[in-house]
Amino acid sequence: MARLISGTATAERLMAGLATDVADFSRAHGMAPTLAAVLVGDDPASRIYVRRKIEQCRKVGLGSIEHRHGADCSEAELLALIDRLNRDPKVHGILVQLPLPPQIDSAKVLDAIDPMKDVDGFHPVNVGRLSTGTGGLIPCTPMGCMMLLQSELPELRGKSAVVIGKSNIVGKPVALLLLEQGCTVTVCNRHTVNLPDLCRQADIIVAAAGRAGLVRGDWVKPGAVIIDVGINRIVGPDGKGGIVGDVTAEEIGHAAAFTPVPGGVGPMTIACLLLNTLQAARALRAAPDIRISDAAYS
Ligand code: NAD
């Protein structure tokens, strides 16, 4: 029977450690590491996500500030807010909840965030650092995937990994992190030919396509480790709603281990956001005068 890799339990342990580290930082610097969350518009899902992130900040002692703007907020207003947050020494992490309303160019807004405060890890400077293996802030979901994978498989050198999905927020950064750890990585997308055969060769499958039950039991090599990132809302035969991943979980008993959905990668994403906020605060305090943003934007 495949072992279940619990993201819920791992995230709880991570949060407990974070609470101690945040308390140490706050004592040493006379202020808590602080996340500014920017919410534009009234998308109900975005509101819930931001509320959850702020609740979790409070749990570990991080400061948090929520900036809400109406759906008619202009790009210039939002850029002005980002500029203020970049300059505010009491703000260590900036998170802009996506999606943004259509009048705002999301890429322009994300590019305006100080890379040292970019706790989502989406800024091109952090993307570049990840791809060159030179540090920087790592996107939260990929970081959570790696923590769960390495809790089961600490040594990744020489393993063959298939990543299903090539998005900038999950697939590509996961692939880069796996490469950095010495895996041989195949990154797949919706045009990939022979996805089942590629998966059958893999020691590790990271499924991030957003397709319910895409990965079937006979795609999985015995003893493989499966990280299921997918979050798919489904309606069961009883008419009740639920959430499932990209992997047909009931067919992978012959795998070594897998992350469940829900309770796998999901809880790790927020925990890693909090970790990034602490990391950003430490880096800003350690090197306030060699800010990448100053060089890049002044
Ligand atoms: P996306 O839609 O941006 O990218 C999906 C990728 O999957 C694309 O590259 C596409 O080419 C590929 N793909 C789609 N169908 C495919 C198929 N049949 N075969 C091979 N490749 C296929 O999605 P995303 O933002 O990367 O998210 C992926 C999934 O992960 C979604 O279900 C999303 O909800 C979930 N997600 C979960 C978390 C979390 O915290 N657990 C965070 C982010 C995303």
Side-chain angles (χ1 to χ4, degrees), residues 77-112:
E77 270 177 278
L78 193 53
L79 289 172
L81 171 63
I82 300 293
D83 184 50
R84 280 202 305 283
L85 296 173
N86 282 344
R87 291 170 193 278
D88 187 340
K90 293 192 288 303
V91 168
H92 306 98
I94 302 171
L95 171 150
V96 176
Q97 186 65 45
L98 300 176
L100 292 170
Q103 73 275 16
I104 299 176
D105 179 346
S106 303
K108 206 164 163 184
V109 172
L110 296 181
D111 288 5

Side-chain angles (χ1 to χ4, degrees), residues 141 164-167 169 189-190 195 208-211 229-231 266 269:
T141 300
I164 310 175
K166 59 151 189 72
S167 74
I169 64 167
N189 60 70
R190 69 180 82 246
L195 183 60
R211 300 279 178 272
V229 191
I231 299 179
T269 296

Side-chain angles (χ1 to χ4, degrees), residues 2-271:
R3 279 183 298 281
L4 188 144
I5 308 172
S6 170
T8 310
T10 308
E12 268 171 23
R13 279 197 300 277
L14 181 59
M15 300 265 291
L18 267 173
T20 308
D21 291 348
V22 167
D24 287 348
F25 180 98
S26 305
R27 242 190 326 273
H29 297 285
M31 71 164 116
T34 296
L35 176 71
V38 179
L39 177 62
V40 184
D42 35 40
D43 175 47
S46 293
R47 277 185 189 207
I48 294 170
Y49 293 145
V50 168
R51 198 180 61 222
R52 266 195 217 144
K53 288 168 187 173
I54 286 183
E55 279 166 8
Q56 299 299 310
C57 278
R58 294 204 178 117
K59 270 197 190 162
V60 298
L62 290 172
S64 56
I65 310 165
E66 187 178 341
H67 290 269
R68 281 193 184 201
H69 282 261
D72 58 351
C73 173
S74 71
E75 188 177 281
E77 270 177 278
L78 193 53
L79 289 172
L81 171 63
I82 300 293
D83 184 50
R84 280 202 305 283
L85 296 173
N86 282 344
R87 291 170 193 278
D88 187 340
K90 293 192 288 303
V91 168
H92 306 98
I94 302 171
L95 171 150
V96 176
Q97 186 65 45
L98 300 176
L100 292 170
Q103 73 275 16
I104 299 176
D105 179 346
S106 303
K108 206 164 163 184
V109 172
L110 296 181
D111 288 5
I113 296 173
D114 179 341
M116 290 194 81
K117 297 189 178 188
D118 168 40
V119 284
D120 267 334
F122 295 158
H123 192 284
V125 166
N126 285 318
V127 175
R129 290 199 151 193
L130 180 60
S131 66
T132 50
T134 51
L137 288 159
I138 297 171
C140 306
T141 300
M143 195 199 307
C145 289
M146 292 303 288
M147 284 181 182
L148 293 178
L149 176 61
Q150 288 185 292
S151 71
E152 176 63 31
L153 210 58
E155 179 52 72
L156 294 177
R157 274 181 294 185
K159 303 285 184 215
S160 82
V162 164
V163 178
I164 310 175
K166 59 151 189 72
S167 74
N168 291 333
I169 64 167
V170 189
K172 280 184 205 156
V174 165
L176 288 168
L177 289 165
L178 288 164
L179 262 180
E180 203 55 36
Q181 292 300 316
C183 290
T184 305
V185 185
T186 306
V187 189
C188 304
N189 60 70
R190 69 180 82 246
H191 307 295
T192 297
V193 179
N194 266 345
L195 183 60
D197 282 342
L198 292 169
C199 287
R200 282 183 197 114
Q201 313 287 320
D203 302 313
I204 297 159
I205 299 174
V206 180
R211 300 279 178 272
L214 173 70
V215 178
R216 304 302 305 258
D218 67 348
W219 297 21
V220 174
K221 179 165 102 172
V225 177
I226 320 268
I227 305 294
D228 192 351
V229 191
I231 299 179
N232 306 291
R233 278 163 227 289
I234 53 148
V235 179
D238 54 359
K240 287 192 182 148
I243 289 177
V244 297
D246 287 358
V247 178
T248 312
E250 56 278 16
E251 295 180 0
I252 56 163
H254 56 294
F258 70 103
T259 60
V261 179
V265 176
M268 291 299 289
T269 296
I270 295 189

